Structures are given as structure tokens and as C-alpha cells.
Amino acid sequence: MSDTERRPVLEVSGFSLKFSRSAAMPNLVDNVSFAVGSGETLCIVGESGCGKSVTSLALMGLLASPPAQRVSGTAVFDGKDLFTLTERELADIRGNRLSMIFQEPMTSLNPAFTVGEQIGESVRRHRGVDRAEARAQALEMLRLVRIPAPETRLDAYPHQLSGGMRQRVMIAMALANRPRLLIADEPTTALDVTIQAQVLALIRNLQAETGTAMVLITHDLGVVAEVADHVAVMYAGRIVEYGTVADLFDDPQHPYTIGLMGAIPSTGKREGSLATIRGSVPSPEQMPDGCRFAPRCPFAAQRCIDAAPPDQPIAGVHRVACWLAPVEQSAPGAGQYQAAPMRKEVA
Ligand SMILES: Nc1ncnc2c1ncn2[C@@H]1O[C@H](COP(=O)(O)OP(=O)(O)O)[C@@H](O)[C@H]1O
Ligand code: SF4
Ligand SMILES: [Mg+2]
């Protein structure tokens, strides 16, 4: 897919956020930039606590502020900066041109309404169709997401459905209005492996049909390999490496990315949940001043502790924030690194 010809559906630039007014507190999300075009999938990967959900919630205008505080940045969607929209304008595009699928469907499905009512309500609100038409469209969506016996399921309540089924309902709801952009935050994590694959295939098919752009947050590199056009690796609130799938898998440059890649089991990549890299993501209070990965990085040197590494262009869209980049993959350091201390058993 071409990077330059297409005007992005969403372009996030220099986005920073914190959960405190204190100037002394570091940004929880720091200077994040990425773009995604029509029909494209951008995957954001990183361990738990890296700021992926916070970023997506902020884009959707779903992060309570206060306590959240945007420090800088823009998020241009369909020509308008999402961060400057009023609550009313946001409500107008959410679930319509801009949709989101969450990890846990029960948090976003209303237990008091049937599946048909919930999908139908979204269609009615945004499309101004009558009840009968909304119900017909809800039924069509249930068919599209391949829910068995959709006529019956239309009148089921969320608790009457299995987890996989509820996730399909979420997808049906999210895509009912043919959004320009879908933000999916770990949409398949709670599902078993077979269902995960089905749900992902489903999202991709629908995406291909509708040209929807997708930001897919996942910690599963198997998923990334399957669905991503571009990948942003996020660590402690920063994008440490960005590139195409080929860039990231064939020529990972950041020690963190290399650590993640090194932990994919060569067989059964589906189970390749994120590496258990030694140590953990720093809490917001303990964010290091320089490179945020320094405390876990076997290559950390004084300059890494003194100052955050700037983005280093590699080739094409590939960029890396590490003082060592660019590194030759054949260099002894790279191989040594992969074999060495951070690698542990993959869960
Ligand atoms: N409402 C909040 N107030 C303060 N800190 C928060 C809030 N929500 C999330 N955080 C913090 O933001 C960081 C990133 O969280 P999150 O975006 O959920 O990570 P991820 O989705 O990558 O696992 C974590 O350190 C978390 O504790
Ligand atoms: S900048 Fe230094 S500490 Fe950070 S990842 Fe690169 S080598 Fe490691
Ligand atoms: Mg999350």
C-alpha cells in the first residue's frame, strides 16, 4: 500500500498527555505521531501499561479530563482536529464515522437492551431511519458477522450470548454505520484462539468491503504479522519504532522491538503473546528522564540516561528512536542481543 499518495483518514501529530497538572510529572503519552489511510491497518503493539488504551480513548474523546490533560498535539480526522471538537460534535461522529471496539464487550454493551435494539439504536441515531429499517439493518449486520440464527439472536440480551458472540455483536455495532475509522483495542484478547482467528478474518473482510481504516491495538505479534500494513511499537508512552510489517519483522532496530520479536515462538505464532522481557514498564512516577527503555536495555550507555534519543529515519517510513540506530542486523550486537538476557520463556 502506498504511503505517500493517500491522504490519511487519521493523522496524529505530536500527541502528549498526562494525568496531572504538575509540570514535574512526565508525560504519560509522549510526542506520539502516526497516520492511517483508507483501507489500511495500523497496529500499535507494546506491553501492558504502555499507554495504548489511553491513547485510543483520548482520540475517541472518552478520557475524562480532568484528570487527563492533553499537553500537546493534534489528531486530524476527516479534516478536523478531534481534540478541538465539542462533546456534541464528538457524539455525532462516534459510532458513526469513527467507531471503537473494546477488549471487553460487556463494558460497552448495555445489559438492559437486546442486541437488535442496541445495533438498531446506533443506526437510527446516525442515519435517521425508522425502527423497522433499523431492525432490518441490525439483522443484516448480524448476518455479516456470521452470528448463527441471526433472527433469533436479534432479540437476545447480551448475557444470553457467549463471549465470542458478544464480540461479534460489538463488531456489528461498530461497523453498522460503515465508519471511516475503526479503533480496535485488543478486540480478540479475551477470545480463544480459534474464535480469535475467525473474528479477525471477519474484521478484515468487512474492512476490505467498506474501505474502513483501522487502528488495531494488540500485544499479539502473530496478529500483527497477519493484519498490519504499518506497525507502531509503543514503549512507556512513546513510539520507539515505526514501519511496515516487513520493516519490523525483517529488520527490527530498537532493542525493545528486537526483544519482542525474539520472543515469538517459531511454531504456532498465534500463541505469540508479548515477550516477557526482563523488568517492567516504568510507572508514570518513575519514568526515566532519557530513553525510557534504558533501565531494561542491555545496551544502555550514559547518553541514553542523559537524553531521550530522537527519531532516526532508517528507510522509507521506517523510523527508530534509539541512539544506536541504525544497526546492521548482521552486526554481532544484534544477534547477541536476541539470544541474551531479555529473552525468557513465552507464556
Ligand atoms: N485514569 C487514569 N488516571 C491515571 N493514570 C491512568 C489512568 N488510566 C490509565 N492510567 C495509566 O496510564 C498508563 C497506560 O495505561 P494504558 O493506556 O491502559 O496501557 P495499555 O493499554 O498500553 O496497557 C498506565 O500506567 C496506567 O496506570
Ligand atoms: S537509546 Fe540506549 S537505552 Fe534506549 S534503547 Fe537505544 S541503546 Fe537502549
Ligand atoms: Mg490497554
Side-chain angles (χ1 to χ4, degrees):
M1 235 160 258
S2 159
D3 295 300
T4 45
E5 290 157 27
R6 210 170 270 151
R7 211 180 71 200
V9 172
L10 173 72
E11 185 161 24
V12 177
S13 308
F15 171 52
S16 302
L17 172 137
K18 56 167 82 176
F19 278 104
S20 157
R21 283 181 188 281
S22 155
M25 274 295 274
N27 294 335
L28 198 76
V29 176
D30 192 51
N31 199 23
V32 159
S33 301
F34 58 81
V36 58
S38 175
E40 265 181 16
T41 298
L42 168 76
C43 281
I44 302 180
V45 288
E47 285 161 294
S48 192
C50 282
K52 306 182 298 294
S53 294
V54 162
T55 300
S56 57
L57 289 170
L59 291 173
M60 297 289 296
L62 293 174
L63 210 53
S65 173
Q69 268 224 303
R70 182 171 56 98
V71 178
S72 65
T74 55
V76 177
F77 171 72
D78 263 358
K80 280 191 184 159
D81 183 1
L82 288 173
F83 295 141
T84 64
L85 298 184
T86 63
E87 192 42 54
R88 202 198 163 108
E89 288 170 319
L90 271 172
D92 210 39
I93 60 169
R94 259 199 314 256
N96 187 16
R97 286 184 292 141
L98 176 56
S99 253
M100 185 157 178
I101 304 175
F102 299 92
Q103 178 169 353
E104 180 35 70
M106 276 321 264
T107 57
S108 21
L109 292 176
N110 190 330
F113 293 94
T114 66
V115 161
E117 285 166 343
Q118 291 185 59
I119 304 174
E121 171 56 24
S122 170
V123 174
R124 237 155 50 87
R125 188 169 62 228
H126 294 296
R127 295 226 166 151
V129 298
D130 66 18
R131 248 170 230 286
E133 176 56 26
R135 189 176 161 88
Q137 289 194 21
L139 180 61
E140 191 209 321
M141 286 314 294
L142 290 189
R143 282 207 184 97
L144 265 179
V145 298
R146 306 219 183 81
I147 287 197
E151 293 85 357
T152 316
R153 293 279 160 48
L154 208 52
D155 297 316
Y157 288 89
H159 73 268
Q160 296 173 305
L161 303 175
S162 68
M165 222 51 107
R166 284 199 287 261
Q167 200 60 319
R168 280 164 204 251
V169 169
M170 274 289 296
I171 295 168
M173 213 152 96
L175 294 173
N177 291 312
R178 307 290 190 267
R180 295 260 293 138
L181 175 67
L182 176 66
I183 299 178
D185 188 357
E186 312 253 7
T188 58
T189 306
L191 307 176
D192 77 47
V193 173
T194 319
I195 309 282
Q196 268 191 39
Q198 288 173 6
V199 168
L200 273 176
L202 189 72
I203 296 179
R204 284 171 71 197
N205 288 342
L206 294 175
Q207 189 192 12
E209 270 172 40
T210 55
T212 296
M214 175 156 74
V215 175
L216 175 64
I217 294 168
T218 179
H219 61 259
D220 186 334
L221 288 167
V223 168
V224 174
E226 257 174 68
V227 307
D229 295 298
H230 293 114
V231 190
V233 179
M234 202 160 174
Y235 184 76
R238 289 182 180 149
I239 292 181
V240 296
E241 184 156 7
Y242 177 91
T244 64
V245 170
D247 291 336
L248 272 281
F249 280 78
D250 301 342
D251 186 24
Q253 294 269 332
H254 195 282
Y256 182 62
T257 314
I258 294 172
L260 300 183
M261 296 297 165
I264 310 176
S266 46
T267 55
K269 62 179 176 177
R270 286 238 130 246
E271 279 109 287
S273 57
L274 263 206
T276 26
I277 294 172
R278 181 177 291 171
S280 54
V281 181
S283 68
E285 298 77 27
Q286 296 165 326
M287 219 52 103
D289 285 336
C291 174
R292 290 183 172 180
F293 189 56
R296 301 171 77 183
C297 180
F299 301 127
Q302 191 58 45
R303 66 173 168 177
C304 310
I305 292 157
D306 293 341
D311 264 353
Q312 196 72 40
I314 306 296
V317 294
H318 195 182
R319 57 182 157 95
V320 180
C322 170
W323 286 116
L324 291 183
V327 291
E328 290 286 332
Q329 281 309 288
S330 53
Q336 192 188 345
Y337 182 69
Q338 288 197 2
M342 322 187 2
R343 263 187 87 175
K344 278 211 227 150
E345 286 299 298
V346 173

